[in-house]
Amino acid sequence: MKLMRISWLISCGIAIFGVMLVQYFFQIKSETGSLGIVGIALVIPFVLLCLFITFKYFSYLATIKTDTIMRVIHISFGILLVGVLFYFATDYKDTVFAGLGGTIHDKDSAIYGMSWLNEKTSVIYFNFYTILITISTTAVIGYVSSLIRGKKEKELEN
């Protein structure tokens, strides 16, 4: 249990650091363009590993015998956390687009006609909020799926 928690925390730290690194790579210009794609290629395995460990860890936490009230509190808190993070991510996205004068479809914006992922909009997709939303959603899915799986196994035994 303790080793699983430590490995989960380390993988989350590496994934969050990696996403912040991708955001930094998008700001660096080279002769061939932005280095953000290189950062994405380097970080994807660590993010996927983090999501796998998160799913396994929260699946394990759901199997520990706790009362129904605590399970409801855990699920409610997880869903609330995802909702709050989604609110802040949406607000951050709106702030970035307002600073740029609009989206890629607005003629007066600084990013008109550019692709949806460029050095100016990369901060929307690769930031602290998006990685936390991804990790929190994976945790809730892992927890709930383990509870459902455990309930089905009990029904099959009876």
Side-chain angles (χ1 to χ4, degrees):
M1 167 76 170
K2 201 170 203 176
L3 185 60
M4 190 179 280
R5 182 183 315 154
I6 290 171
S7 65
W8 173 68
L9 289 172
I10 290 171
S11 70
C12 285
I14 291 171
I16 291 169
F17 178 73
V19 168
M20 296 297 131
L21 196 61
V22 168
Q23 186 178 359
Y24 175 72
F25 277 152
F26 266 105
Q27 307 308 316
I28 298 174
K29 288 287 195 182
S30 71
E31 296 171 2
T32 58
S34 176
L35 293 176
I37 300 301
V38 174
I40 291 172
L42 292 173
V43 169
I44 283 178
F46 295 106
V47 171
L48 292 176
L49 179 66
C50 173
L51 297 178
F52 176 75
I53 292 173
T54 300
F55 187 86
K56 286 295 191 183
Y57 178 62
F58 281 89
S59 293
Y60 171 74
L61 285 180
T63 61
I64 297 174
K65 302 293 182 202
T66 58
D67 57 345
T68 307
I69 294 173
M70 283 306 293
R71 287 183 174 167
V72 169
I73 289 172
H74 289 155
I75 293 170
S76 300
F77 179 75
I79 293 171
L80 182 68
L81 178 65
V82 170
V84 168
L85 288 171
F86 188 75
Y87 171 77
F88 283 123
T90 304
D91 184 53
Y92 181 69
K93 175 190 68 112
D94 293 341
T95 303
V96 169
F97 280 139
L100 294 171
T103 65
I104 60 172
H105 303 293
D106 297 329
K107 293 187 188 261
D108 296 333
S109 73
I111 55 173
Y112 176 71
M114 296 177 121
S115 66
W116 62 273
L117 182 61
N118 56 56
E119 65 272 357
K120 294 180 181 177
T121 61
S122 65
V123 296
I124 296 170
Y125 307 108
F126 299 102
N127 60 43
F128 189 70
Y129 297 124
T130 56
I131 189 66
L132 283 184
I133 288 170
T134 308
I135 291 170
S136 300
T137 303
T138 304
V140 170
I141 291 171
Y143 195 88
V144 170
S145 69
S146 182
L147 289 177
I148 292 171
R149 206 177 18 217
K151 195 172 197 177
K152 285 183 181 179
E153 288 174 2
K154 283 183 182 178
E155 288 175 0
L156 290 176
E157 289 176 2
N158 293 331

